[in-house]
Amino acid sequence: MPVDMKMVIAQAYKNKVQHEDVDKITVKSLIEECHISRQTFYYHFQDIMDVLEWSVEQQTRQLVEQSLKAEDMRSVLGIFISFTVEQFPMLEKLMRSQRRAQIEKLMLDAVRTYLTQLAQHQSQQVSMSDFDREVLLQYNVCGLVGVLMEYGGRKKLDAEQLAARLESILSGSLSGWKER
């Protein structure tokens, strides 16, 4: 079975992020870790950020596949919450790096990909303008990423309760902005 060199490099990067300062990880340190040539690295990736982007795309694809098989929105949100909790130490390190803006964009793009694909799989389409759909999508993307990052690192997180509240927000049934 041939070795998936992209996966090997990405796993080496992930291991390094767990043990080193993100901003000090270099192509040289990765090629040493993987025992490959610089040419091999550049055959597969343009730079360190490309490794991270590819890794996020792979994880996003897996999350989307897994979540589209889920029975309901709460289960889907549970998948995202579990992923965030499991990956939080690495996400936190990445967010404290000089690449924070790029990392945030990757996270937003990942959630946008999921919500867009989810909307395409919904049997009932809501009638609204493209602009309204885009604003609603962006609002939900930013809100969901923000909440996941805020709650993902909490020691006593009730993941089921958080998933229930997020489901209520996304479905439109939880709103504290209107008077009752």
Side-chain angles (χ1 to χ4, degrees):
M1 178 174 204
V3 174
D4 182 350
M5 191 51 64
K6 284 187 121 170
M7 190 62 76
V8 169
I9 295 167
Q11 187 59 48
Y13 179 79
K14 184 176 180 179
N15 293 341
K16 287 189 154 299
V17 167
Q18 292 174 351
H19 303 290
E20 297 178 27
D21 180 348
V22 174
D23 295 321
K24 297 190 184 209
I25 298 172
T26 63
V27 171
K28 182 179 179 191
S29 68
L30 275 178
I31 63 175
E32 288 172 359
E33 175 94 9
C34 297
H35 306 288
I36 59 173
S37 69
R38 187 172 287 275
Q39 182 179 7
T40 299
F41 176 89
Y42 286 112
Y43 176 80
H44 295 287
F45 295 106
Q46 294 177 359
D47 54 22
I48 294 289
M49 202 58 211
D50 193 28
V51 175
L52 182 58
E53 288 174 16
W54 184 84
S55 299
V56 169
E57 286 171 9
Q58 297 308 302
Q59 288 184 320
T60 299
R61 184 183 50 75
Q62 290 172 355
L63 278 173
V64 167
E65 287 174 8
Q66 186 181 6
S67 62
L68 289 175
K69 293 176 186 172
E71 293 179 25
D72 56 23
M73 177 65 76
R74 190 174 300 181
S75 299
V76 169
L77 292 166
I79 291 167
F80 274 92
I81 292 166
S82 295
F83 174 80
T84 304
V85 168
E86 290 168 14
Q87 300 296 322
F88 193 79
M90 185 172 74
L91 290 169
E92 191 174 38
K93 280 184 93 170
L94 289 166
M95 293 300 281
R96 281 193 250 138
S97 75
Q98 293 175 2
R99 294 184 169 98
R100 180 187 177 109
Q102 293 161 304
I103 308 285
E104 283 178 341
K105 183 178 179 334
L106 289 174
M107 291 170 63
L108 291 168
D109 288 348
V111 172
R112 173 181 281 278
T113 296
Y114 167 71
L115 290 178
T116 300
Q117 289 189 12
L118 179 68
Q120 291 170 352
H121 282 83
Q122 295 294 328
S123 56
Q124 37 179 251
Q125 294 293 326
V126 177
S127 177
M128 67 173 64
S129 72
D130 289 343
F131 180 73
D132 288 346
R133 186 174 288 108
E134 177 58 31
V135 170
L136 182 61
L137 177 63
Q138 188 63 21
Y139 179 82
N140 285 312
V141 165
C142 291
L144 189 53
V145 169
V147 168
L148 289 172
M149 288 305 294
E150 178 64 31
Y151 287 85
R154 293 193 178 178
K155 301 270 187 260
K156 295 183 179 181
L157 175 65
D158 184 340
E160 286 186 29
Q161 183 181 31
L162 179 58
R165 293 307 176 275
L166 288 170
E167 178 186 35
S168 296
I169 292 167
L170 290 171
S171 70
S173 64
L174 177 65
S175 175
W177 302 107
K178 296 187 255 180
E179 287 186 37
R180 294 180 188 246

